[in-house]
Amino acid sequence: MIDRWIAQTDSGAWEELVADLLVTHYDPSYLRATTQNYLHYDEARSLSLERLDEPGMAQAARELLKARP
């Protein structure tokens, strides 16, 4: 795996390298840490954001407020 990342770096395949690092290293590590530190993570409500601009964030906040128990 590391040899692949080095080859991607050497060839200048930056987009491929970043995607590979995220999928094979960062995402699994982050998920493992999250599930260890947040005991009810699997029960948490999922929120998908379509946009990260101000209107998109405002919409996400409205959705979260509607879903409050």
Side-chain angles (χ1 to χ4, degrees):
M1 184 177 332
I2 293 175
D3 289 336
R4 183 176 66 231
W5 295 338
I6 291 170
Q8 291 166 339
T9 302
D10 290 344
S11 68
W14 301 112
E15 289 183 25
E16 184 180 331
L17 172 65
V18 169
D20 198 0
L21 284 168
L22 288 173
V23 170
T24 60
H25 176 68
Y26 178 81
D27 289 348
S29 298
Y30 185 81
L31 180 59
R32 193 169 37 257
T34 300
T35 56
Q36 289 172 355
N37 292 309
Y38 300 99
L39 299 178
H40 300 288
Y41 176 76
D42 293 334
E43 301 165 22
R45 181 175 178 266
S46 176
L47 178 67
S48 297
L49 301 176
E50 291 182 30
R51 298 168 27 184
L52 294 177
D53 58 3
E54 190 171 335
M57 297 298 277
Q59 177 61 34
R62 285 190 295 275
E63 287 181 35
L64 285 173
L65 288 172
K66 284 193 303 190
R68 289 175 65 180

Coordinates of all heavy atoms in Angstrom, one line a residue:
M1 N 0.8 -1.2 0.0 CA 0.0 0.0 0.0 C 0.9 1.3 0.0 O 0.6 2.2 -0.8 CB -0.9 0.0 1.2 CG -1.9 1.1 1.3 SD -3.1 1.1 2.6 CE -3.3 -0.6 3.1
I2 N 1.9 1.3 0.9 CA 2.7 2.5 0.9 C 3.5 2.6 -0.4 O 3.7 3.7 -0.9 CB 3.7 2.4 2.1 CG1 2.8 2.5 3.4 CG2 4.7 3.5 2.1 CD1 3.6 2.3 4.7
D3 N 3.9 1.5 -1.0 CA 4.6 1.6 -2.3 C 3.7 2.2 -3.3 O 4.2 3.0 -4.2 CB 5.1 0.2 -2.7 CG 6.2 -0.4 -1.9 OD1 6.9 0.5 -1.3 OD2 6.4 -1.6 -1.8
R4 N 2.4 1.9 -3.3 CA 1.4 2.5 -4.2 C 1.4 4.0 -4.0 O 1.3 4.7 -5.0 CB 0.1 1.8 -4.0 CG -1.0 2.3 -5.0 CD -2.3 1.6 -4.9 NE -2.9 1.8 -3.7 CZ -3.4 0.9 -2.8 NH1 -3.3 -0.4 -3.1 NH2 -4.0 1.2 -1.7
W5 N 1.3 4.4 -2.7 CA 1.2 5.8 -2.5 C 2.5 6.6 -2.9 O 2.4 7.7 -3.5 CB 1.0 6.1 -1.0 CG -0.3 5.6 -0.5 CD1 -1.4 5.3 -1.2 CD2 -0.6 5.2 0.9 NE1 -2.4 4.9 -0.4 CE2 -2.0 4.8 0.9 CE3 0.1 5.3 2.1 CZ2 -2.6 4.4 2.1 CZ3 -0.5 4.9 3.2 CH2 -1.9 4.4 3.2
I6 N 3.6 5.9 -2.7 CA 4.9 6.5 -3.2 C 4.9 6.6 -4.7 O 5.3 7.6 -5.3 CB 6.1 5.7 -2.7 CG1 6.2 5.9 -1.2 CG2 7.4 6.2 -3.4 CD1 7.2 5.0 -0.5
A7 N 4.4 5.6 -5.4 CA 4.3 5.6 -6.9 C 3.4 6.7 -7.3 O 3.7 7.4 -8.3 CB 3.9 4.2 -7.4
Q8 N 2.3 6.9 -6.7 CA 1.3 7.9 -7.0 C 2.0 9.3 -6.8 O 1.8 10.2 -7.7 CB 0.0 7.8 -6.2 CG -0.8 6.6 -6.5 CD -1.9 6.3 -5.5 OE1 -1.8 6.7 -4.3 NE2 -2.9 5.5 -5.9
T9 N 2.7 9.4 -5.8 CA 3.4 10.7 -5.5 C 4.5 10.9 -6.6 O 4.5 12.0 -7.2 CB 4.1 10.7 -4.1 OG1 3.1 10.4 -3.1 CG2 4.8 12.0 -3.8
D10 N 5.3 9.9 -6.9 CA 6.3 10.1 -7.9 C 5.8 10.4 -9.3 O 6.4 11.1 -10.0 CB 7.2 8.8 -7.9 CG 8.0 8.6 -6.7 OD1 8.2 9.5 -5.9 OD2 8.5 7.4 -6.5
S11 N 4.6 9.9 -9.6 CA 4.0 10.1 -10.9 C 3.2 11.4 -10.9 O 2.7 11.7 -12.0 CB 3.2 8.9 -11.4 OG 2.0 8.8 -10.6
G12 N 3.0 12.0 -9.8 CA 2.2 13.2 -9.8 C 0.7 13.0 -9.8 O -0.1 13.9 -10.1
A13 N 0.3 11.8 -9.5 CA -1.2 11.4 -9.5 C -1.8 11.9 -8.2 O -2.3 11.0 -7.4 CB -1.3 9.9 -9.7
W14 N -1.9 13.2 -8.0 CA -2.3 13.7 -6.7 C -3.8 13.4 -6.4 O -4.1 13.0 -5.2 CB -2.1 15.2 -6.7 CG -0.6 15.5 -6.8 CD1 0.0 16.1 -7.9 CD2 0.5 15.2 -6.0 NE1 1.3 16.2 -7.8 CE2 1.7 15.6 -6.6 CE3 0.5 14.5 -4.7 CZ2 2.9 15.4 -6.0 CZ3 1.8 14.4 -4.1 CH2 2.9 14.8 -4.7
E15 N -4.7 13.5 -7.3 CA -6.1 13.2 -7.1 C -6.3 11.8 -6.7 O -7.0 11.4 -5.8 CB -7.0 13.6 -8.2 CG -7.1 15.1 -8.4 CD -8.0 15.5 -9.6 OE1 -8.9 14.7 -9.9 OE2 -7.8 16.6 -10.1
E16 N -5.6 10.9 -7.4 CA -5.6 9.5 -7.1 C -5.1 9.2 -5.7 O -5.6 8.4 -5.0 CB -4.9 8.7 -8.2 CG -4.9 7.2 -8.1 CD -4.2 6.5 -9.2 OE1 -4.0 7.1 -10.3 OE2 -3.7 5.4 -8.9
L17 N -4.0 9.8 -5.4 CA -3.3 9.6 -4.1 C -4.2 10.0 -3.0 O -4.4 9.3 -2.0 CB -2.0 10.4 -4.0 CG -1.3 10.4 -2.7 CD1 -0.9 9.0 -2.2 CD2 -0.2 11.4 -2.7
V18 N -4.8 11.2 -3.1 CA -5.7 11.7 -2.0 C -6.9 10.8 -1.9 O -7.2 10.4 -0.7 CB -6.1 13.2 -2.3 CG1 -7.2 13.6 -1.4 CG2 -4.9 14.1 -2.2
A19 N -7.5 10.4 -3.0 CA -8.7 9.5 -2.9 C -8.3 8.2 -2.2 O -9.0 7.7 -1.4 CB -9.3 9.3 -4.3
D20 N -7.1 7.7 -2.6 CA -6.6 6.4 -2.1 C -6.4 6.5 -0.6 O -6.8 5.7 0.2 CB -5.4 6.0 -2.8 CG -5.0 4.5 -2.7 OD1 -5.8 3.8 -1.9 OD2 -4.0 4.1 -3.2
L21 N -5.7 7.6 -0.2 CA -5.4 7.8 1.3 C -6.7 7.9 2.1 O -6.8 7.4 3.2 CB -4.6 9.1 1.4 CG -3.1 9.0 1.1 CD1 -2.5 10.4 1.0 CD2 -2.4 8.1 2.1
L22 N -7.7 8.7 1.5 CA -8.9 8.8 2.3 C -9.7 7.5 2.4 O -10.1 7.2 3.5 CB -9.8 9.9 1.6 CG -9.4 11.3 1.7 CD1 -10.2 12.2 0.8 CD2 -9.4 11.8 3.1
V23 N -9.8 6.8 1.3 CA -10.6 5.5 1.4 C -9.9 4.4 2.1 O -10.5 3.7 2.9 CB -10.9 5.1 -0.1 CG1 -11.5 3.7 -0.1 CG2 -11.8 6.1 -0.7
T24 N -8.6 4.3 2.0 CA -7.9 3.1 2.5 C -7.3 3.4 3.9 O -7.0 2.4 4.6 CB -6.8 2.6 1.6 OG1 -5.8 3.6 1.4 CG2 -7.4 2.1 0.3
H25 N -7.1 4.6 4.3 CA -6.4 4.9 5.5 C -7.3 5.8 6.4 O -7.7 5.5 7.5 CB -5.1 5.6 5.3 CG -4.4 6.0 6.6 ND1 -3.9 5.1 7.5 CD2 -4.1 7.2 7.1 CE1 -3.4 5.7 8.5 NE2 -3.5 7.0 8.3
Y26 N -7.6 7.0 6.0 CA -8.2 8.0 6.8 C -9.6 7.6 7.2 O -10.0 7.6 8.4 CB -8.3 9.4 6.2 CG -9.0 10.4 7.0 CD1 -8.3 11.1 8.0 CD2 -10.3 10.7 6.8 CE1 -8.9 12.0 8.8 CE2 -11.0 11.7 7.6 CZ -10.3 12.3 8.6 OH -10.9 13.2 9.3
D27 N -10.5 7.3 6.3 CA -11.9 6.9 6.6 C -12.0 5.7 7.6 O -12.7 5.8 8.6 CB -12.7 6.6 5.3 CG -12.9 7.9 4.5 OD1 -12.7 9.0 5.0 OD2 -13.4 7.8 3.4
P28 N -11.3 4.6 7.4 CA -11.4 3.5 8.3 C -10.8 3.9 9.7 O -11.4 3.5 10.7 CB -10.5 2.4 7.7 CG -10.5 2.7 6.2 CD -10.5 4.2 6.2
S29 N -9.8 4.7 9.8 CA -9.2 5.1 11.0 C -10.2 6.0 11.8 O -10.4 5.9 13.0 CB -7.9 5.8 10.8 OG -6.9 5.0 10.3
Y30 N -10.8 6.9 11.0 CA -11.7 7.9 11.6 C -12.9 7.1 12.2 O -13.4 7.4 13.3 CB -12.1 8.9 10.6 CG -13.0 10.0 11.1 CD1 -12.5 11.1 11.8 CD2 -14.4 9.9 10.9 CE1 -13.3 12.1 12.3 CE2 -15.2 10.9 11.4 CZ -14.7 12.0 12.1 OH -15.5 13.0 12.6
L31 N -13.5 6.2 11.4 CA -14.6 5.4 11.8 C -14.3 4.6 13.0 O -15.1 4.5 14.0 CB -15.1 4.5 10.7 CG -16.4 3.7 11.0 CD1 -17.5 4.6 11.4 CD2 -16.7 2.8 9.8
R32 N -13.1 4.0 13.1 CA -12.7 3.2 14.2 C -12.7 4.1 15.5 O -13.2 3.7 16.5 CB -11.4 2.5 13.9 CG -11.0 1.4 14.9 CD -9.8 0.6 14.4 NE -8.8 1.3 13.7 CZ -8.6 1.3 12.4 NH1 -9.4 0.6 11.6 NH2 -7.6 2.0 11.8
A33 N -12.0 5.2 15.4 CA -11.9 6.1 16.5 C -13.3 6.7 16.9 O -13.6 6.8 18.1 CB -11.0 7.3 16.2
T34 N -14.1 7.0 16.0 CA -15.5 7.5 16.3 C -16.3 6.5 17.1 O -16.9 6.8 18.1 CB -16.2 7.9 15.0 OG1 -15.4 8.9 14.4 CG2 -17.6 8.4 15.3
T35 N -16.3 5.2 16.6 CA -17.1 4.2 17.3 C -16.6 3.9 18.6 O -17.3 3.5 19.5 CB -17.2 2.9 16.4 OG1 -15.9 2.4 16.1 CG2 -18.0 3.2 15.1
Q36 N -15.3 4.0 18.9 CA -14.7 3.8 20.2 C -15.0 4.9 21.2 O -15.2 4.7 22.4 CB -13.2 3.6 20.1 CG -12.8 2.3 19.4 CD -11.3 2.2 19.2 OE1 -10.5 3.2 19.4 NE2 -10.8 1.1 18.7
N37 N -15.1 6.2 20.7 CA -15.2 7.3 21.5 C -16.7 7.7 21.7 O -17.0 8.5 22.7 CB -14.4 8.5 21.0 CG -12.9 8.2 21.1 OD1 -12.5 7.9 22.2 ND2 -12.2 8.4 20.0
Y38 N -17.6 7.4 20.8 CA -19.0 7.7 20.9 C -19.8 6.4 20.9 O -20.1 5.8 19.9 CB -19.4 8.6 19.7 CG -18.6 9.9 19.7 CD1 -17.5 10.1 18.9 CD2 -18.9 10.9 20.5 CE1 -16.8 11.2 18.9 CE2 -18.2 12.1 20.5 CZ -17.1 12.3 19.7 OH -16.4 13.4 19.7
L39 N -20.1 6.0 22.1 CA -20.8 4.7 22.3 C -22.1 4.5 21.5 O -22.4 3.4 21.2 CB -21.0 4.4 23.8 CG -19.7 4.4 24.6 CD1 -20.0 4.2 26.1 CD2 -18.7 3.4 24.1
H40 N -22.8 5.5 21.3 CA -24.1 5.4 20.6 C -24.0 5.9 19.2 O -25.0 6.3 18.6 CB -25.2 6.2 21.4 CG -25.3 5.7 22.8 ND1 -25.9 4.5 23.1 CD2 -25.0 6.2 24.0 CE1 -25.9 4.3 24.4 NE2 -25.3 5.3 24.9
Y41 N -22.8 5.9 18.6 CA -22.6 6.4 17.2 C -23.5 5.7 16.2 O -24.1 6.3 15.4 CB -21.2 6.2 16.8 CG -20.9 6.6 15.4 CD1 -20.8 8.0 15.1 CD2 -20.7 5.7 14.4 CE1 -20.6 8.3 13.7 CE2 -20.5 6.0 13.1 CZ -20.4 7.4 12.8 OH -20.2 7.7 11.5
D42 N -23.7 4.4 16.4 CA -24.5 3.6 15.4 C -25.9 4.0 15.5 O -26.7 3.7 14.6 CB -24.3 2.1 15.7 CG -22.9 1.6 15.3 OD1 -22.2 2.3 14.5 OD2 -22.4 0.6 15.9
E43 N -26.4 4.6 16.6 CA -27.8 5.0 16.7 C -28.0 6.4 16.3 O -29.2 6.9 16.3 CB -28.2 4.8 18.2 CG -28.0 3.4 18.7 CD -28.1 3.3 20.2 OE1 -28.6 4.2 20.9 OE2 -27.5 2.4 20.8
A44 N -27.0 7.1 16.0 CA -27.1 8.6 15.7 C -27.9 8.8 14.4 O -27.8 8.0 13.5 CB -25.7 9.2 15.6
R45 N -28.5 9.9 14.3 CA -29.3 10.3 13.1 C -28.2 10.8 12.1 O -27.3 11.5 12.4 CB -30.2 11.4 13.5 CG -31.0 11.8 12.3 CD -32.1 12.9 12.7 NE -32.8 13.3 11.6 CZ -32.5 14.4 10.9 NH1 -31.5 15.2 11.3 NH2 -33.2 14.8 9.9
S46 N -28.4 10.4 10.9 CA -27.5 10.8 9.8 C -28.1 12.1 9.2 O -29.3 12.2 9.0 CB -27.5 9.7 8.8 OG -26.7 10.1 7.7
L47 N -27.2 13.0 8.8 CA -27.6 14.2 8.1 C -26.7 14.4 6.9 O -25.5 14.5 7.1 CB -27.5 15.4 9.1 CG -27.8 16.8 8.5 CD1 -29.3 16.8 8.1 CD2 -27.5 17.9 9.4
S48 N -27.3 14.5 5.7 CA -26.5 14.7 4.5 C -26.7 16.1 4.1 O -27.8 16.6 4.0 CB -26.9 13.7 3.4 OG -26.7 12.4 3.8
L49 N -25.6 16.8 3.8 CA -25.6 18.2 3.3 C -25.5 18.2 1.8 O -24.5 17.6 1.3 CB -24.5 19.0 4.0 CG -24.6 19.1 5.5 CD1 -23.4 19.8 6.0 CD2 -25.9 19.7 6.0
E50 N -26.4 18.8 1.1 CA -26.3 19.0 -0.3 C -25.3 20.1 -0.7 O -24.6 20.0 -1.7 CB -27.6 19.2 -0.9 CG -28.6 18.0 -0.9 CD -29.9 18.3 -1.5 OE1 -29.9 19.1 -2.5 OE2 -30.9 17.7 -1.1
R51 N -25.2 21.1 0.2 CA -24.4 22.3 -0.1 C -23.7 22.7 1.2 O -24.3 22.6 2.3 CB -25.2 23.4 -0.7 CG -25.9 23.1 -2.0 CD -26.9 24.0 -2.5 NE -26.8 25.4 -2.0 CZ -27.6 26.4 -2.2 NH1 -28.7 26.1 -3.0 NH2 -27.4 27.6 -1.8
L52 N -22.5 23.3 1.1 CA -21.8 23.7 2.3 C -21.8 25.3 2.4 O -21.1 25.8 3.2 CB -20.4 23.2 2.3 CG -20.3 21.7 2.5 CD1 -18.8 21.2 2.4 CD2 -20.9 21.2 3.8
D53 N -22.6 25.9 1.6 CA -22.7 27.4 1.7 C -23.7 27.8 2.8 O -24.3 26.9 3.4 CB -23.1 28.0 0.3 CG -24.4 27.4 -0.2 OD1 -25.1 26.6 0.5 OD2 -24.8 27.8 -1.3
E54 N -23.9 29.0 3.0 CA -24.8 29.5 4.0 C -26.2 29.0 3.9 O -26.8 28.5 4.9 CB -24.7 31.0 4.1 CG -25.4 31.6 5.4 CD -25.2 33.1 5.6 OE1 -24.2 33.6 5.1 OE2 -26.1 33.7 6.2
P55 N -26.8 29.1 2.8 CA -28.2 28.5 2.7 C -28.2 27.0 2.9 O -29.2 26.5 3.6 CB -28.6 28.9 1.2 CG -27.8 30.0 0.8 CD -26.5 29.8 1.5
G56 N -27.3 26.3 2.5 CA -27.2 24.9 2.7 C -27.1 24.5 4.2 O -27.7 23.6 4.7
M57 N -26.2 25.3 4.9 CA -26.1 25.1 6.3 C -27.4 25.5 7.1 O -27.7 24.8 8.0 CB -24.9 25.9 6.9 CG -23.6 25.5 6.2 SD -23.2 23.8 6.6 CE -22.4 24.0 8.2
A58 N -28.0 26.5 6.7 CA -29.3 26.9 7.3 C -30.3 25.9 7.1 O -31.1 25.6 8.1 CB -29.7 28.3 6.7
Q59 N -30.4 25.3 5.9 CA -31.3 24.2 5.7 C -31.0 23.0 6.6 O -31.9 22.4 7.2 CB -31.3 23.8 4.2 CG -32.2 22.6 3.9 CD -33.7 22.9 4.2 OE1 -34.2 24.0 4.0 NE2 -34.4 21.8 4.6
A60 N -29.8 22.6 6.7 CA -29.4 21.5 7.6 C -29.8 21.8 9.0 O -30.3 20.9 9.7 CB -27.9 21.3 7.5
A61 N -29.6 23.0 9.5 CA -30.0 23.4 10.9 C -31.5 23.3 11.1 O -31.9 22.8 12.1 CB -29.5 24.8 11.2
R62 N -32.3 23.7 10.1 CA -33.7 23.6 10.1 C -34.1 22.1 10.3 O -35.0 21.7 11.0 CB -34.4 24.2 8.9 CG -34.4 25.7 9.0 CD -35.3 26.4 8.0 NE -34.8 26.1 6.6 CZ -33.9 26.9 6.0 NH1 -33.4 28.0 6.6 NH2 -33.6 26.6 4.8
E63 N -33.5 21.2 9.5 CA -33.8 19.8 9.5 C -33.5 19.2 10.9 O -34.2 18.4 11.4 CB -33.0 19.1 8.4 CG -33.5 19.3 7.0 CD -32.7 18.5 6.0 OE1 -32.3 17.4 6.3 OE2 -32.6 19.1 4.9
L64 N -32.3 19.6 11.4 CA -32.0 19.1 12.8 C -33.0 19.6 13.8 O -33.3 18.8 14.7 CB -30.6 19.6 13.1 CG -29.4 18.9 12.4 CD1 -28.1 19.5 12.8 CD2 -29.4 17.4 12.8
L65 N -33.4 20.8 13.7 CA -34.3 21.3 14.7 C -35.7 20.7 14.6 O -36.3 20.4 15.7 CB -34.5 22.9 14.6 CG -33.3 23.7 15.0 CD1 -33.5 25.1 14.6 CD2 -33.1 23.5 16.5
K66 N -36.1 20.3 13.4 CA -37.4 19.6 13.2 C -37.3 18.2 13.8 O -38.3 17.7 14.3 CB -37.7 19.5 11.7 CG -38.3 20.7 11.1 CD -38.9 20.5 9.8 CE -37.9 19.8 8.8 NZ -38.4 19.8 7.4
A67 N -36.2 17.6 13.8 CA -36.0 16.2 14.3 C -35.8 16.1 15.8 O -35.7 15.0 16.3 CB -34.8 15.6 13.5
R68 N -35.8 17.2 16.5 CA -35.5 17.1 17.9 C -36.6 16.4 18.6 O -37.8 16.6 18.3 CB -35.4 18.5 18.5 CG -34.1 19.2 18.1 CD -34.0 20.6 18.5 NE -33.9 20.6 20.0 CZ -33.9 21.8 20.7 NH1 -33.9 22.9 20.0 NH2 -33.8 21.8 22.0
P69 N -36.3 15.6 19.6 CA -37.3 14.8 20.4 C -38.1 15.7 21.3 O -37.8 16.8 21.6 CB -36.5 13.8 21.2 CG -35.1 14.2 21.1 CD -35.0 15.2 20.0

